[in-house]
């Protein structure tokens, strides 16, 4: 039978606690990840909201950046909210020239795209794959996806105003990212969508492993 | 920065975006800077935000006089220099300084006892602003009074500009002990607790239920070393303000990065030992015990 997925929350900096609190109610075990050996023990990873420049520097200095890139390349399911979206982007705008990312999402993300903190806002966003009406979305100095590659599925856009149509939720394979912070609102549906992806991935892997065993026996 | 401004039919300046902004800073270090160059050094070191001010607290102490909000040109220079959030200080009760800082586009205002108070009875009515505020506190009652006025983040005051962590420890312990005590009380005892704390009953009851403040708690005032920062996080602070401790030290670049690492790996002595090596001279400290009452910033605020 399928075991409980272990979902790590990258705990270098940011709103780690809110993600840790959201996951257990969805049948996942939540653990913090700050070191390569902790990353090796998880079935999936959440990159929380926070300051992306800080997270990137800490990841690089603590030797976690390489293992993170390898894990994403190896198919590890990852969900990033806000700064997490920045961390997963292949290309950045309005970032310091030396800002590194984990990458994996074929998107160009603009940091602080909606403006400064006085422009931070709450709104409603319809997210594909999330049933039950729009998600109440909290945007804090949020990024948006300026351009998405062909393999990227757009899950949600801003409706209305001068940012009308801007992409704020995407998925590419096992990677999911949102500009907003579902972890701050108590609405667990985006996390549920991600945990679903994690479960499917684990089931596929179990199938492949079983196949390999049969092949070698 | 972003040339795209939004007028999405939505709400700005809500409690959720103000408090939520502070949640994003958790586990991070906010550094005092007085020039755009220092702001860039702080950003390179991994600061989650910078605090723009004209003089660091150690210099305010040394030079005396009235300490006010920074020059708008200087704040703007720092806002333009970095992509991380910029905070700035307004005097206690000086709501027009706060209006000016909001107009300049700063991301957070620190209504700070480090500046000379402008009102000896009233703090700024912070809920009226779109920009969020952080305020200092020495104990739970003071923290809750500031939250009632609209503060979206609390920092323990410590004693700024001393390089001496003893007051920061005292204040974080006091706030945390106050919270723990509330969680042990019978619900019928919370009314008197609110009276004793001189804080609104609803907030007192909320803290008793949550076992924590309803906003993020940082620490400030005297943090000078990576070990200081890690100790404060172990004591329950969710992040660290470093004022004079970085740019009054021998090697600000190394020290800033080391304090950032120590704040993340606060429970890992091997990491703290490693980053503490070769940092050069820390800032020269002041023994708070010999500091006259009139020169203590922590007593400012009511």
């Amino acid at each position: 039978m399928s075991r409980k997925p272990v979902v790590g929350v990258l705990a270098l900096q940011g709103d780690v606690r809110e993600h840790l609190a959201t996951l257990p109610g969805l049948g996942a075990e939540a653990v913090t990840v700050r070191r390569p050996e902790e990353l090796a023990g998880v079935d999936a990873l959440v990159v929380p909201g926070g300051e992306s420049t800080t997270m990137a520097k800490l990841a690089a200095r603590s030797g976690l950046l390489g293992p993170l890139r390898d894990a994403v390349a190896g198919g590890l399911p990852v969900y990033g909210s806000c700064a997490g979206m920045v961390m997963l982007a292949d290309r950045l705008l309005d970032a310091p020239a030396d800002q590194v990312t984990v990458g994996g999402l074929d998107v160009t993300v603009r940091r602080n795209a909606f403006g400064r903190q006085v422009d931070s806002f709450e709104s409603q966003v319809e997210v594909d794959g999330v049933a039950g009406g729009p998600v109440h979305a909290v945007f804090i100095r949020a990024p948006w996806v300026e351009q998405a590659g062909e393999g990227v599925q757009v899950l949600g856009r801003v409706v209305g105003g001068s940012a009308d149509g801007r992409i704020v939720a995407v998925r590419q394979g096992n990677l999911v990212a949102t500009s907003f912070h579902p972890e701050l609102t108590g609405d667990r549906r985006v996390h549920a969508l991600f945990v679903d992806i994690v479960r499917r991935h684990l089931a596929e892997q179990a199938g492949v492993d079983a196949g390999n065993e049969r092949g070698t026996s | 920065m972003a040339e795209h401004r939004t007028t999405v039919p939505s709400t700005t300046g809500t409690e959720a975006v103000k408090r939520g902004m502070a949640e994003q800073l958790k586990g991070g270090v906010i550094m005092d800077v007085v020039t755009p160059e220092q702001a860039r050094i702080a950003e390179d070191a991994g600061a989650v935000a910078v605090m723009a001010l004209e003089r660091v607290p150690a210099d305010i102490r040394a030079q005396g006089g009235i300490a006010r909000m920074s020059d708008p040109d200087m704040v703007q220079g720092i806002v333009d220099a970095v992509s991380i959030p910029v905070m700035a200080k307004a005097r206690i009760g000086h709501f027009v300084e706060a209006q000016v800082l909001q107009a300049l586009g700063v991301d957070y205002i620190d209504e700070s006892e480090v500046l000379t108070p402008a009102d000896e009875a009233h703090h700024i009515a912070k809920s009226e602003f779109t920009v969020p505020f952080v305020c200092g506190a020495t104990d739970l009652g003071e923290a809750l009074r500031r939250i009632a006025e609209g503060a979206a983040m609390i920092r323990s005051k410590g004693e700024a500009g001393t390089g001496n962590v003893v007051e920061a420890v005292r204040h974080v312990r006091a706030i945390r002990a106050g919270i723990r005590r509330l969680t042990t009380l019978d619900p019928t005892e919370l009314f008197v607790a609110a009276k004793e704390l001189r804080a609104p009953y609803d907030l007192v009851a909320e803290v008793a239920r949550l076992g924590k403040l309803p906003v993020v708690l940082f620490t400030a005032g005297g943090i000078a070393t990576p070990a200081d920062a890690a100790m404060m996080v172990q004591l329950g602070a969710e992040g660290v303000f470093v004022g004079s401790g970085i740019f009054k030290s021998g090697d600000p670049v190394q020290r800033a990065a080391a304090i950032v690492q120590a704040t993340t790996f606060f429970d890992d002595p091997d990491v703290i030992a490693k980053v503490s090596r070769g940092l050069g001279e820390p800032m020269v400290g002041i023994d708070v015990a010999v500091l006259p009452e009139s020169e203590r910033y922590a007593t400012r605020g009511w």
Side-chain angles (χ1 to χ4, degrees):
Chain A
M1 219 30 246
S2 64
R3 65 186 173 82
K4 204 182 225 192
V6 179
V7 179
V9 179
L10 189 67
L12 297 172
Q13 188 275 317
D15 66 346
V16 176
R17 189 182 59 223
E18 286 69 18
H19 283 288
L20 287 173
T22 305
L23 290 160
L26 300 166
E29 185 187 339
V31 298
T32 59
V33 169
R34 287 179 295 176
R35 302 174 179 84
E37 57 271 28
E38 291 162 350
L39 179 64
V42 300
D43 300 314
L45 186 71
V46 173
V47 183
E51 177 46 52
S52 64
T53 57
T54 301
M55 273 185 224
K57 283 170 206 300
L58 281 163
R61 286 177 200 149
S62 60
L64 195 58
L65 190 62
L68 281 169
R69 285 175 172 166
D70 292 345
V72 169
L76 185 79
V78 185
Y79 165 51
S81 67
C82 195
M85 172 188 264
V86 175
M87 290 288 282
L88 287 175
D90 280 344
R91 298 169 298 279
L92 297 181
L93 296 170
D94 288 336
D98 61 347
Q99 183 170 349
V100 295
T101 67
V102 174
L105 268 181
D106 179 17
V107 294
T108 303
V109 164
R110 185 180 292 278
R111 282 180 69 229
N112 308 331
F114 294 91
R116 305 194 66 84
Q117 171 59 17
V118 288
D119 305 308
S120 292
F121 64 102
E122 298 180 56
S123 191
Q124 308 288 325
V125 175
E126 291 279 0
V127 179
D128 276 4
V130 169
V135 170
H136 181 73
V138 177
F139 293 86
I140 296 172
R141 285 174 52 96
W144 67 42
V145 173
E146 186 108 349
Q147 176 269 328
E150 277 188 10
V152 177
Q153 189 186 350
V154 173
L155 299 181
R157 295 176 186 269
V158 168
V159 176
S162 63
D164 185 50
R166 288 293 180 181
I167 302 168
V168 292
V170 292
R171 176 178 176 187
Q172 183 182 358
N174 286 336
L175 305 180
V176 179
T178 61
S179 303
F180 50 89
H181 295 275
E183 73 277 13
L184 293 180
T185 62
D187 184 339
R188 298 196 299 225
R189 289 177 294 161
V190 173
H191 288 81
L193 171 84
F194 177 62
V195 172
D196 222 45
I197 292 170
V198 176
R199 283 215 183 82
R200 277 165 213 247
H201 178 69
L202 283 178
E204 276 168 32
Q205 271 190 324
V208 170
D209 289 347
N212 285 346
E213 270 168 39
R214 276 196 296 278
T216 54
S217 60
Chain B
M1 298 273 322
E3 53 269 31
H4 304 270
R5 290 296 198 189
T6 180
T7 52
V8 174
S10 55
T11 44
T12 58
T14 60
E15 197 168 79
V17 298
K18 290 175 170 178
R19 292 181 177 185
M21 170 73 203
E23 303 287 353
Q24 308 313 309
L25 301 172
K26 282 188 299 193
V29 182
I30 298 165
M31 303 181 191
D32 277 4
V33 297
V34 300
T35 63
E37 290 68 38
Q38 288 187 354
R40 277 188 285 267
I41 289 171
E43 185 177 43
D44 282 347
V48 288
V50 290
M51 177 73 70
L53 70 175
E54 220 145 53
R55 295 178 287 172
V56 294
D59 287 336
I60 294 173
R61 265 185 204 291
Q63 294 160 9
I66 302 299
R68 308 179 178 91
M69 173 190 81
S70 297
D71 181 280
D73 278 342
M74 178 269 176
V75 174
Q76 192 68 55
I78 289 171
V79 165
D80 292 342
V82 293
S83 71
I84 58 177
V86 176
M87 300 184 167
K89 289 184 194 288
R91 282 180 270 177
I92 289 173
H94 206 314
F95 51 89
V96 174
E97 284 189 350
Q99 291 165 2
V100 170
L101 291 172
Q102 175 168 291
L104 289 173
V106 305
D107 297 295
Y108 236 96
I109 294 175
D110 183 0
E111 186 182 18
S112 178
E113 70 282 2
V114 170
L115 305 185
T116 311
D119 190 321
E120 292 190 332
H122 308 285
H123 282 248
I124 298 169
K126 293 168 275 288
S127 302
E128 296 170 7
F129 287 75
T130 305
V131 67
F133 284 75
V134 54
C135 287
T138 58
D139 58 30
L140 180 60
E142 195 175 8
L144 295 181
R145 288 193 291 279
R146 297 295 85 79
I147 294 167
E149 295 155 359
M153 179 179 186
I154 294 293
R155 56 173 173 75
S156 63
K157 283 182 177 171
E159 195 53 53
T162 62
N164 188 339
V165 79
V166 66
E167 293 298 302
V169 169
R170 188 194 314 281
H171 298 155
V172 163
R173 280 196 188 277
I175 292 167
R176 300 268 297 166
I179 293 169
R180 279 194 299 272
R181 179 176 170 273
L182 283 188
T183 64
T184 66
L185 295 184
D186 186 90
T188 60
E189 296 168 338
L190 293 174
F191 300 97
V192 170
K195 184 188 78 176
E196 288 166 356
L197 288 166
R198 295 189 293 134
Y201 166 78
D202 288 348
L203 275 175
V204 170
E206 187 178 5
V207 170
R209 191 174 69 246
L210 295 174
K212 65 184 281 301
L213 293 179
V215 303
V216 167
L217 172 66
F218 267 49
T219 185
I223 289 100
T225 69
D228 286 349
M231 176 171 69
M232 296 314 298
V233 178
Q234 287 198 28
L235 284 173
E238 297 178 284
V240 179
F241 284 87
V242 186
S244 321
I246 289 172
F247 289 101
K248 285 286 164 188
S249 75
D251 187 346
V253 173
Q254 287 291 324
R255 184 167 294 268
I259 292 176
V260 169
Q261 289 265 110
T263 301
T264 292
F265 294 95
F266 63 94
D267 55 353
D268 188 333
D270 292 333
V271 172
I272 299 163
K274 193 175 123 202
V275 301
S276 298
R277 289 169 194 266
L279 293 184
E281 285 296 308
M283 73 176 281
V284 178
I286 298 174
D287 183 357
V288 179
V290 302
L291 206 60
E293 194 65 22
S294 61
E295 289 177 25
R296 292 190 182 207
Y297 298 153
T299 57
R300 297 168 168 176
W302 0 98

